[in-house]
Amino acid sequence: MELLFLGTGAGVPAKERNVSSVALQLLGERGATWLFDCGEATQHQILHTAIRPRRIEHIFITHLHGDHLFGLPGLLGSRSFQSGETPLTVFGPKGIRAFVETALSVSGTRLRYELNIAEIEEGVIFDDERFQVIAKRLDHGMPSYGFRVVEKDLPGPLLVDRLQALGVRPGPIYQQIKQGKTVMLDDGTVIDGREFVGPPQKGRIVAVLGDTRFCEAAIELARDADVVVHEATFAAAEQRLAHDYFHSTTTDAAEVARRAGAKRLILTHISSRYQGEAALQLVAEARKVFPNTDLAADFASFSIPRG
């Protein structure tokens, strides 16, 4: 599991930062990539990475401001020409369906794969045997959502050494034991499979938040998360400006992570007014409130280990 930032700027593209998009790489977990937001030129940014558009399984749009979705029609169209044949689902606020369908229709774009569009509200928006995604509405000038990606706990490892010490050879019986079943060995010995399985491996939690002022919903989404991705459009000294434009400062983001008991914070959606040393000061401000803070840059990647 890895986060790869494709665009980390706010509002308009800049030389150092393209507009918003971040990929959650789940290649080991499900052989897929999930994309969060798709600002203008996201597909161009992808060309500089190892991401394969055909592996993009879900795209989550936080809100309908252009710097978060103007790149979506182009990416959807290009995927057809890049061996993309598997289904893809776009999740987003009400209006995302009209935007995508109109763009594809007017441009005469025909997709070679099944495209599903889900207009979301608060609650569980995706759930399968491996992952759950929860959406909550944040505090922005238009409906804007944050997403909590929860990896479900994995079964504990089979304690092979203990089984071999009892003379239990590998085979179908190992699968039964790993499932916690009671089994009988060839010599008539009965063993409880639960005694030969280690403790469950706790799943990881990633919170990716759209544009927002400081709010309780952000804290709830970030609760005990391994990583929180939070906008930090403005420096701490610009609190009034941030509030007026429905955005967050560095210290707002850090306070969300602190109150949520998160393990790590990554700042993104940085205004173009902060270049070079000024950008470094942003992360320094946040670290005064939440020490384990990093500043995202375009093409920066962050692995998310277990435990």
Side-chain angles (χ1 to χ4, degrees):
M1 186 182 288
E2 175 187 40
L3 284 166
L4 175 57
F5 286 83
L6 300 170
T8 58
V12 296
K15 289 183 178 180
E16 292 185 4
R17 297 180 185 275
N18 196 48
V19 285
S20 293
S21 185
V22 57
L24 179 61
Q25 295 280 62
L26 300 171
L27 302 182
E29 291 76 15
R30 58 195 300 128
T33 297
W34 291 3
L35 209 61
F36 293 83
D37 284 335
C38 191
E40 179 183 352
T42 291
Q43 66 172 319
H44 293 260
Q45 298 289 88
I46 286 175
L47 293 175
H48 300 284
T49 73
I51 294 173
R52 297 291 177 262
R54 62 183 173 83
R55 288 187 179 271
I56 297 175
E57 179 184 32
H58 299 318
I59 301 177
F60 299 87
I61 301 298
T62 61
H63 63 295
L64 303 184
H65 277 151
D67 58 323
H68 293 258
L69 88 163
F70 279 168
L72 184 57
L75 176 60
L76 295 176
S78 295
R79 186 175 184 264
S80 280
F81 298 100
Q82 297 169 325
S83 303
E85 299 177 350
T86 55
L88 184 151
T89 301
V90 175
F91 298 85
K94 185 177 181 180
I96 188 67
R97 179 182 298 278
F99 174 79
V100 172
E101 291 181 347
T102 301
L104 297 181
S105 175
V106 170
S107 63
T109 302
R110 296 186 178 182
L111 306 182
R112 301 178 183 179
Y113 56 89
E114 176 186 341
L115 175 64
N116 301 298
I117 302 174
E119 294 194 326
I120 64 173
E121 295 182 354
E122 289 192 313
V124 176
I125 62 171
F126 176 80
D127 193 16
D128 68 5
E129 70 282 351
R130 194 69 190 273
F131 285 91
Q132 182 181 82
V133 181
I134 301 164
K136 277 188 175 294
R137 187 163 168 176
L138 304 172
D139 184 6
H140 194 47
M142 70 184 316
S144 179
Y145 287 83
F147 302 104
R148 178 180 174 89
V149 180
V150 180
E151 180 187 31
K152 297 182 180 179
D153 292 350
L154 297 175
L158 189 65
L159 304 178
V160 175
D161 290 346
R162 290 186 58 191
L163 289 171
Q164 291 179 344
L166 290 176
V168 183
R169 296 180 180 179
I173 195 172
Y174 271 31
Q175 184 62 32
Q176 297 176 23
I177 295 171
K178 187 167 185 179
Q179 293 172 355
K181 296 180 179 179
T182 298
V183 299
M184 180 179 291
L185 305 181
D186 293 339
D187 63 2
T189 302
V190 176
I191 63 173
D192 184 346
R194 293 172 298 180
E195 297 178 359
F196 294 87
V197 178
Q201 295 177 288
K202 186 167 180 55
R204 291 158 288 187
I205 300 173
V206 179
V208 181
L209 310 180
D211 289 4
T212 185
R213 291 169 172 166
F214 179 86
C215 65
E216 194 63 34
I219 297 171
E220 293 175 12
L221 288 168
R223 185 77 62 198
D224 299 323
D226 291 270
V227 179
V228 178
V229 178
H230 198 300
E231 70 128 299
T233 309
F234 296 103
E238 303 291 352
Q239 184 66 59
R240 178 173 293 278
L241 189 63
H243 185 271
D244 289 346
Y245 283 92
F246 293 92
H247 282 296
S248 293
T249 66
T250 54
T251 50
D252 287 334
E255 186 64 16
V256 165
R258 187 188 69 81
R259 293 195 191 185
K263 295 179 182 176
R264 187 178 195 181
L265 170 65
I266 303 175
L267 305 178
T268 188
H269 200 268
I270 308 301
S271 170
S272 59
R273 68 180 65 194
Y274 306 108
Q275 304 284 339
E277 282 296 319
L280 296 179
Q281 288 301 311
L282 297 179
V283 71
E285 287 179 353
R287 284 175 177 167
K288 292 178 182 177
V289 177
F290 188 82
N292 196 15
T293 299
D294 291 292
L295 180 67
D298 287 17
F299 308 118
S301 63
F302 301 85
S303 62
I304 308 172
R306 293 190 184 280

